Every structure is written in structure tokens, then in C-alpha cells.
Amino acid sequence: LAAKLNKAPTEVIKVLMGYGVMAAVNQSIDFDTASIVCEEFGVTCELEDENQAMDDLFDTHYQNEDELVKRPPIITVMGHVDHGKTSLLDAIRHTNVISGEAGGITQHIGAYTIMIKDEKITFIDTPGHEAFTAMRSRGASVTDIAVLVVAADDGVMPQTVEAINHAKDAGVPIIVAVNKIDKPGANPDKVKQELTEYGLVSEDWGGDTICVNISAKKREGIEELLEMILLVAEVEDLKAHPTKKAIGTVIEARLDKQKGTVATLLVKSGVLHDGDIVVCNDVFGKVRAMMDDKGNKVKVAGPSTAIEILGFNEVPGAGEKFFVAENERDGRKYAERRKAIMKENALKKSGPVSLDDLFNQISEGELKELKLIVKADVRGSLEALSQSLEKLNDNDEGVRVSVIHGGVGAIAESDVALAAASNALIIAFNVRPDANAKAMAMKEEVEIRSYNVIYHVMEEIEKALKGLLDPEF
Ligand code: GDP
């Protein structure tokens, strides 16, 4: 601070002492203290918004529209357990061996790219909405299109609904893959019928949801599915900068005994070069080696490409955004500052985000939508609750209530993950969180509010919207 103010450290310390803060020369002080000191010197100081700075950096890639080029779509496969997500990813991987390429079978690095009709498509190789949601809760919107796998012999199941709600909340278009059509009991029409209940109306039924019948096992319909993905990607008009320093997301990262930190990065825009200084929140490093999804050593990686790199000083978090720094000194400086800020925030943390917090945001006009996840013991209560809550929007308070996900049964980790990713509150009606969900809610600072009378739910939410909420102790 002294350096920034162009003052001797002793002068700053003297001011601090005047306010009763006995600071040593290398001690951190918080923003409020710093602004008081600055005021004494006639200087105004502003809090730098790190997230904003990062968003701005990402935005610079897309500023000059005429410089942008088309980039391949990035796909996540979602759906209920055992409906064939892994089988579909395998089928896609194997049927699309790029001709002439040695081996061609992909290594598992967390994502892979295939070629179809001279166009590329990149798949996130961890199926399910858990990874999708984890990444979103760190602020990364990695997925361009979600492929929803529904088994034709089983139909829409709880996790199918979860996946639909996750994709919808993220604003990601959905393509439905009706799988296992080779099975004797397969009934694709029944699946389409069930999907209409969740707002997904198939094209052949007059809606705008693309549904493709496939058999991941017999590898039928895969090509058609891929073509449909390209079609939707075309409409989405996905662009990236072809030459700027890379920006993107960490897909996976781990510590390897021999190699050190191994991380898979997905380049969103720009180009990553061997030797670049990559910064990812509080970790950084010089790219020592880059390997593509076929296990080949590469020197550069362009938009929508996944590469495994060595060189980070520590293991970065999956879903964290990365960028390339000018030089090692800048990279280190940024990472160290982030580390200090995170440490300070961790000390400041005071319990979960609660209805009170959300209410405060509402009254300050910061929150325009109160997102809720409703879990209930029986279907009847769930429907009654959801309908009553949505009805609150009829008398306009300026803040919308939206039930982004509803389900019957105990609160699970996936509910908490969705709440964390979308800044939602969980309403528990005659149900409890399971042990894992409870632990996760503590960690992710998600509030679960329990009720056993519908009237009480309505009363509290209404109060929150109107700003009359009593704090809950
Ligand atoms: P995930 O849990 O969604 O990843 O599902 P899996 O890909 O592991 O598949 C679950 C089971 O369904 C496995 O036994 C697969 O062999 C089987 N399966 C997947 N796709 C098909 C298919 O198209 N037809 C048939 N008959 N079985 C399939």
C-alpha cells in the first residue's frame, strides 16, 4: 500500500497506529482499513473486482467480431444411471476413428474430439450432470449442447429430470438420444410422450426438441446424432479467436507421483502454446509438455481442444477458468494475490448463504429471481407446493420465484450441487438431507429450510419477497 501511495512504509504505519491498528510492515490489512489510510493521504481507493477483471479478460477475445472464427461445439452427455451415457461416449469414440491417424483410439484425458463430415465435435468424457454442475458452480460454462440419454425401455427417470433442469438452468440446448432401441421392450414414443411433461416436445410432434433414436450397443443412429449436434452447433453460432493467448477451463487435474501436476485444459478461445505461462486462480505454471487426446505430443492447441499439460505448481480445481499470462513474473504475482484473497475470504466466512442473505440481495435490488429447489415426501405435496410457489408470481413484487428443480425423496448431493451452482435455496418438505448432502450443504454454504406445513412455506417465501422476514436462529 505504501508503494502504491508513494509514501514511506513508516508513514502508513503511523496512520494505522493513529487508528489503533498496530501493523507490521509486511502485514495484510483489509479493504476498509486500507481505504481509511488512503483517505488520510487524500487518495480514494476502489476495490478491484477480480471476477469482473477475469470476465473482462475473457470478453476481450470476442470484441472484434470480424476476427472471430467458428469453433467446434463442446458436448456433455447426461441422463439417468444405466441409460447408456458411458456406452454412447464409447460408441462415438470408436466409430469415429479419424482415417489415416495412427491408433486413433482416444486416451482418457477428460475430453476428446472427433471428426464428422470434416467438422469437429468435442465431448466431455465424464458423463452425468455432476461434473457439469461442479464446473458451473465455479463459474465456468463449458458445455455448448447437452445430449440427454433416455433408455427407451425405461423412460424418464429422476436423474433424467435433474439433467433437464440443470441444462435448462444453464441455458444449454438439449438434444435427446433415445437409447437402447434394439431392446425388445423399447418404446421410443412413450419416452417422447413423457418428455413433453418437462417441456421437451419432439420435432415430429410439432415441437422444437431434436430426438434421435439410437442403440449405443449396436452403434446405430450414432452418425445421425452427430449430424444433429452439428446442426444445433451451427444455429448456436459458436465463435473463438484464432490467435490470441488462450483462455479456457480446467476439466480435470491430479497429482502424479512421477510427473507432478497433470491437468486437462479445454481451450475455449485463442491458442495455447508449449512453454506458455498458464494461470488458474491461485495456481500457475509454465507448460512443460502438452499431450492431445490421442496421446500425441503437441506444441499448440486451438479452440475447443482438450490437452493434458504438465507444469502447474499445484493442482488446480476442476471447472476453474485459466488464462495465459505475459510472463512468469506476472503469472506468479496474480496467483499469489489470489491465494492471499482466498485466505482472507476463508477467514471472513460466516455460515451458509441463507434466505436472509437472499432477502438482503432482494431488498438491495441485486436479486431479480428467487431460485428454489423443492424436495417433498410425496408427489402430491411436491406438485401442490410448486404450483403455489409459482403462483406467487401473479401479484408482481418485482422479484420472480422460480422452482428450478423439484423431486420426491431425500435431499441428495446433486440437489445441493445444483443449489450451489445456481444460487438457489432448498425447500425440504417432510424430507431430510442424507448425510453426504448435509456435509456438502455445509461446505458449499447452501441453506436447506425444512417445513411440514405448506402454508408455512408460502408464508416465509412471501415475507422474503416483501422484505418482512424474521431471521431464523
Ligand atoms: P450409464 O450409467 O448411463 O453410463 O450407462 P452405461 O453406458 O454404463 O450402460 C448401462 C447398461 O446398459 C450396460 O450394461 C450397457 O451395456 C447397456 N446398454 C447401453 N446402451 C445400450 C443399448 O443401446 N442397447 C442395449 N441393449 N443395452 C445398452
Side-chain angles (χ1 to χ4, degrees):
L1 181 62
K4 282 230 159 132
L5 289 165
N6 219 355
K7 301 281 170 198
T10 48
E11 287 184 78
V12 172
I13 291 177
K14 216 188 281 169
V15 174
L16 283 168
M17 281 167 76
Y19 283 97
V21 180
M22 302 299 155
V25 73
N26 55 358
Q27 186 177 325
S28 301
I29 53 172
D30 62 23
F31 174 74
D32 293 336
T33 314
S35 36
I36 292 171
V37 174
C38 290
E39 244 168 62
E40 289 279 332
F41 292 109
V43 174
T44 0
C45 78
E46 265 173 43
L47 187 63
E48 198 177 336
D49 185 340
E50 297 271 342
N51 291 333
Q52 188 57 45
M54 185 67 110
D55 287 349
D56 290 349
L57 173 76
F58 273 54
D59 285 346
T60 59
H61 269 249
Y62 309 106
Q63 267 164 3
N64 300 333
E65 267 184 45
D66 49 331
E67 289 175 14
L68 301 182
V69 295
K70 186 171 162 180
R71 70 166 172 85
I74 299 166
I75 315 296
T76 298
V77 174
M78 301 202 261
H80 195 69
V81 63
D82 280 346
H83 278 199
K85 300 179 291 293
T86 312
S87 306
L88 174 60
L89 281 163
D90 284 346
I92 293 168
R93 205 188 333 246
H94 287 87
T95 47
N96 280 271
V97 175
I98 300 171
S99 50
E101 202 160 0
I105 304 292
T106 57
Q107 314 258 339
H108 178 88
I109 67 166
Y112 64 84
T113 302
I114 55 116
M115 284 287 263
I116 168 129
K117 303 196 158 196
D118 293 332
E119 305 235 34
K120 288 179 177 171
I121 305 177
T122 296
F123 287 88
I124 303 288
D125 206 4
T126 318
H129 52 262
E130 291 79 7
F132 177 82
T133 312
M135 286 196 203
R136 271 188 68 216
S137 66
R138 290 182 194 255
S141 50
V142 181
T143 307
D144 298 309
I145 301 165
V147 169
L148 179 70
V149 178
V150 191
D153 61 338
D154 204 19
V156 172
M157 287 285 141
Q159 285 169 293
T160 315
V161 178
E162 277 179 30
I164 294 171
N165 291 334
H166 280 69
K168 275 192 180 162
D169 192 59
V172 170
I174 298 171
I175 295 177
V176 178
V178 182
N179 191 29
K180 306 198 185 184
I181 48 155
D182 59 288
K183 278 195 144 182
N187 189 349
D189 276 344
K190 187 165 160 272
V191 173
K192 286 181 189 172
Q193 171 64 47
E194 288 170 350
L195 284 170
T196 59
E197 275 182 46
Y198 302 94
L200 297 179
V201 182
S202 160
E203 277 187 316
D204 48 346
W205 289 14
D208 55 9
T209 301
I210 297 176
C211 292
V212 185
N213 290 345
I214 64 162
S215 165
K217 194 175 179 180
K218 299 230 151 110
R219 302 202 173 147
E220 284 167 15
I222 306 296
E223 193 116 332
E224 195 191 341
L225 176 66
L226 296 174
E227 282 170 23
M228 289 304 152
I229 291 174
L230 288 179
L231 203 73
V232 175
E234 195 71 41
V235 176
E236 293 291 301
D237 195 26
L238 307 164
K239 293 278 168 69
H241 199 281
T243 53
K244 283 189 174 167
K245 288 188 166 62
I247 52 168
T249 309
V250 178
I251 299 289
E252 291 185 350
R254 65 192 154 85
L255 200 58
D256 183 284
K257 272 201 189 119
Q258 271 98 44
K259 300 185 207 159
T261 305
V262 183
T264 298
L265 306 184
L266 184 59
V267 178
K268 192 101 196 233
S269 179
V271 180
L272 187 69
H273 298 265
D274 198 4
D276 275 351
I277 306 297
V278 188
V279 188
C280 178
N281 198 14
D282 60 333
V283 309
F284 79 105
K286 187 185 179 114
V287 178
R288 277 198 282 118
M290 294 210 301
M291 192 184 80
D292 71 9
D293 56 1
K294 316 278 181 310
N296 304 315
K297 281 209 158 163
V298 289
K299 292 277 173 209
V300 291
S304 299
T305 324
I307 54 279
E308 195 174 86
I309 69 152
L310 305 181
F312 273 120
N313 64 338
E314 284 172 47
V315 180
E320 211 84 73
K321 287 177 180 171
F322 77 83
F323 69 93
V324 173
E326 284 296 328
N327 52 49
E328 186 149 356
R329 218 194 57 179
D330 282 4
R332 181 188 303 275
K333 217 165 98 186
Y334 182 93
E336 280 173 359
R337 202 175 59 205
R338 285 298 305 161
K339 195 158 256 174
I341 290 172
M342 282 165 69
K343 208 167 129 193
E344 198 172 300
N345 288 348
L347 290 176
K348 262 195 271 176
K349 274 204 177 134
S350 56
V353 174
S354 61
L355 189 54
D356 296 327
D357 292 340
L358 292 174
F359 158 62
N360 284 335
Q361 290 176 33
I362 289 173
S363 54
E364 280 161 25
E366 286 170 17
L367 198 75
K368 294 276 172 268
E369 187 183 21
L370 180 59
K371 292 183 181 177
L372 302 175
I373 291 171
V374 181
K375 291 297 289 260
D377 53 343
V378 290
R379 195 162 182 98
S381 313
L382 174 69
E383 279 168 5
L385 246 177
S386 304
Q387 278 167 14
S388 309
L389 285 166
E390 300 274 359
K391 251 199 209 115
L392 287 176
N393 292 324
D394 293 349
N395 43 2
D396 186 35
E397 297 288 340
V399 180
R400 283 190 59 77
V401 178
S402 73
V403 179
I404 60 169
H405 177 62
V408 173
I411 293 153
E413 277 177 292
S414 57
D415 298 316
V416 179
L418 177 60
S422 45
N423 197 23
L425 201 72
I426 300 180
I427 303 285
F429 191 78
N430 281 333
V431 290
R432 269 189 246 275
D434 63 31
N436 291 340
K438 203 167 179 174
M440 189 175 176
M442 290 291 285
K443 193 166 140 272
E444 297 285 335
E445 311 195 324
V446 167
E447 194 190 13
I448 300 172
R449 276 179 100 93
S450 304
Y451 302 90
N452 43 31
V453 182
I454 290 189
Y455 173 72
H456 289 158
V457 183
M458 302 311 297
E459 201 177 43
E460 286 214 349
I461 298 300
E462 218 161 352
K463 272 189 187 169
L465 294 180
K466 291 207 174 93
L468 299 166
L469 192 75
D470 299 322
E472 188 175 84
F473 295 106

